[in-house]
């Protein structure tokens, strides 16, 4: 339907419309030097002549212009990138095969991230930044392949998924469009930077919908009688829930602040990796197993009494249901997804 088309391609349409509006008379006011008053995407070469934009050949020599101490020093930031990519890929994989999508072959998405990892090798040879599995990208892609409807479960409106079209064609065409974009760099240079920032802001706001941390923060503004009858509200003391939410919010805020506003932002990946031992030891010591069963459930249907009974089968089919490491990473992904939305433009 028209509504589904607009919902699926709203960001692309918004980008086209805002770019077109920026060229209307009186919108992009010229500065005192007669230049375009709007900052647009900076493309060095338009049209691209299929040659490296830097003053070098296609292949980058890792030893060119660097001494032994530089190579040894690069191990530290190299490890940071390794930690970031490892966490991004694994968390994205777990979120893409979440039981809520009712996938028949959840582990199949591992291959997408395996191929993404293999592409790091030619990227290193060519001296270009490697691609990585952004947190919003993978689950949003799977979500787009599912039929969706909203149902009220435990007093909360939830998005319920069914009939996911499990295939690889959409991922393939998405990758091919990146090569097509190389032929349209001149059109890309027309886009105002403000329009891109608006899209990133939209992605961040949309990600808050259904986020457990944000929901529990909003519950603090409601009186007891108005809060929904979710399993957490029914089985966990409210003070305990608030304390747990505070720890999650504090971790996410700290990672975001250090990653964006400090001179040591490069330690961001290590801070994200530190969420796992925090969950394994600190949180485990502060909360009882009975409370954690609802605050940080092994399976998604633990949080909702109205969830489908088929969730257990889907979890078992994915081989992820009882794995402690996966459970800890899923918990860390809540904090990571919040902080990652703030840095998606950097990627």
């Amino acid at each position: 339907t028209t509504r589904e088309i607009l919902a699926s391609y709203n960001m692309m349409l918004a980008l086209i419309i805002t770019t077109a509006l920026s060229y209307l008379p009186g919108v992009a006011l010229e500065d005192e030097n007669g230049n375009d008053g709007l900052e647009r995407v900076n493309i060095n070469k338009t049209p691209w002549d299929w040659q490296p934009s830097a003053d070098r050949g296609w292949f980058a020599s890792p030893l060119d212009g660097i001494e032994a101490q530089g190579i040894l020093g690069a191990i530290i930031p190299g490890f940071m990138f390794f930690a970031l990519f490892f966490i991004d890929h694994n968390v994205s994989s777990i979120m893409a095969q979440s039981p809520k999508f009712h996938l028949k072959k959840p582990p199949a998405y591992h291959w997408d991230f395996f191929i993404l990892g293999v592409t790091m090798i030619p990227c290193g040879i060519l001296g270009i930044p490697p691609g990585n599995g952004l947190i919003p990208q993978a689950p949003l892609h799977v979500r787009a392949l599912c039929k969706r409807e909203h149902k009220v479960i435990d007093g909360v409106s939830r998005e319920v998924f069914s009939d996911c079209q499990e295939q690889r064609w959409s991922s393939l065409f998405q990758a091919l469009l990146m090569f097509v974009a190389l032929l349209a760099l001149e059109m890309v240079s027309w886009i105002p930077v403000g329009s891109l920032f608006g899209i990133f802001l939209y992605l961040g706001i949309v990600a808050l919908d259904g986020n457990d941390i944000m929901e529990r923060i909003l519950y603090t503004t409601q009186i007891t009688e108005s809060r929904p009858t979710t399993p957490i509200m029914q089985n966990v003391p409210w003070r305990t829930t608030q304390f747990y939410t505070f720890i999650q919010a504090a971790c996410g805020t700290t990672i975001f602040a250090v990653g964006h506003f400090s001179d040591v932002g490069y330690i961001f990946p290590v801070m994200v990796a530190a969420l796992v031992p925090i969950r394994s030891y600190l949180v485990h010591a502060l909360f009882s197993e009975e409370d954690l069963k609802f605050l940080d459930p092994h399976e998604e249907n633990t949080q909702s009494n109205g969830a489908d009974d088929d969730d257990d089968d889907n979890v078992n089919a994915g081989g992820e249901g009882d794995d402690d490491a996966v459970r800890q990473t899923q918990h860390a992904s809540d904090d990571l997804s919040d902080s990652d939305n703030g840095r998606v433009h950097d990627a």
Side-chain angles (χ1 to χ4, degrees), residues 57-79:
W58 274 105
F59 301 101
S61 173
L63 302 178
D64 188 18
I66 187 171
E67 298 179 355
Q69 58 266 34
I71 297 176
L72 294 176
I75 294 178
I76 298 177
F79 175 77

Side-chain angles (χ1 to χ4, degrees), residues 55 93 184 246 287:
D55 187 19
S93 179
F246 171 77
F287 300 90

Side-chain angles (χ1 to χ4, degrees), residues 125-238:
I125 296 175
L126 296 175
I128 59 178
N132 70 313
L134 288 177
I135 299 301
Q137 180 183 9
L140 285 179
H141 186 196
V142 180
R143 175 182 177 273
L145 299 175
C146 298
K147 291 183 178 179
R148 307 181 295 274
E149 60 178 329
H150 281 82
K151 292 183 178 180
V152 177
I153 302 175
D154 298 324
V156 181
S157 178
R158 302 289 189 188
E159 192 174 42
V160 180
F161 304 91
S162 62
D163 191 23
C164 186
Q165 302 297 319
E166 299 180 51
Q167 39 74 36
R168 298 190 181 280
W169 291 107
S170 56
S171 298
L172 175 62
F173 286 125
Q174 180 186 24
L176 292 177
L177 285 175
M178 295 177 64
F179 289 97
V180 175
L182 295 176
L183 302 174
L185 287 180
E186 186 169 0
M187 287 188 290
V188 173
S189 67
W190 300 343
I191 301 174
V193 174
S195 297
L196 294 180
F197 286 158
I199 288 180
F200 298 140
L201 177 62
Y202 169 78
L203 285 173
I205 294 175
V206 170
L208 296 178
D209 183 28
N211 183 276
D212 292 338
I213 301 176
M214 182 56 62
E215 284 186 353
R216 293 197 294 271
I217 291 176
L218 293 177
Y219 292 161
T220 61
T221 64
Q222 302 174 345
I223 60 176
T224 304
E225 293 75 12
S226 300
R227 293 172 191 147
T229 56
T230 60
I232 291 180
M233 296 293 105
Q234 292 178 332
N235 297 278
V236 182
W238 178 235

Side-chain angles (χ1 to χ4, degrees), residues 1-14 140-148 159 202-203:
T1 64
T2 303
R3 182 175 180 179
E4 291 176 341
I5 293 176
L6 291 176
S8 299
Y9 299 98
N10 53 2
M11 287 186 291
M12 181 188 71
L13 294 174
L140 285 179
H141 186 196
V142 180
R143 175 182 177 273
L145 299 175
C146 298
K147 291 183 178 179
R148 307 181 295 274
E159 192 174 42
Y202 169 78
L203 285 173

Side-chain angles (χ1 to χ4, degrees), residues 284-304:
H284 184 77
L286 294 175
F287 300 90
S288 67
E289 286 294 336
E290 185 64 24
D291 290 339
L292 288 175
K293 184 173 67 175
F294 296 97
L295 294 171
D296 185 22
H298 289 223
E299 303 166 10
E300 286 199 18
N301 58 347
T302 306
Q303 296 196 40
S304 175

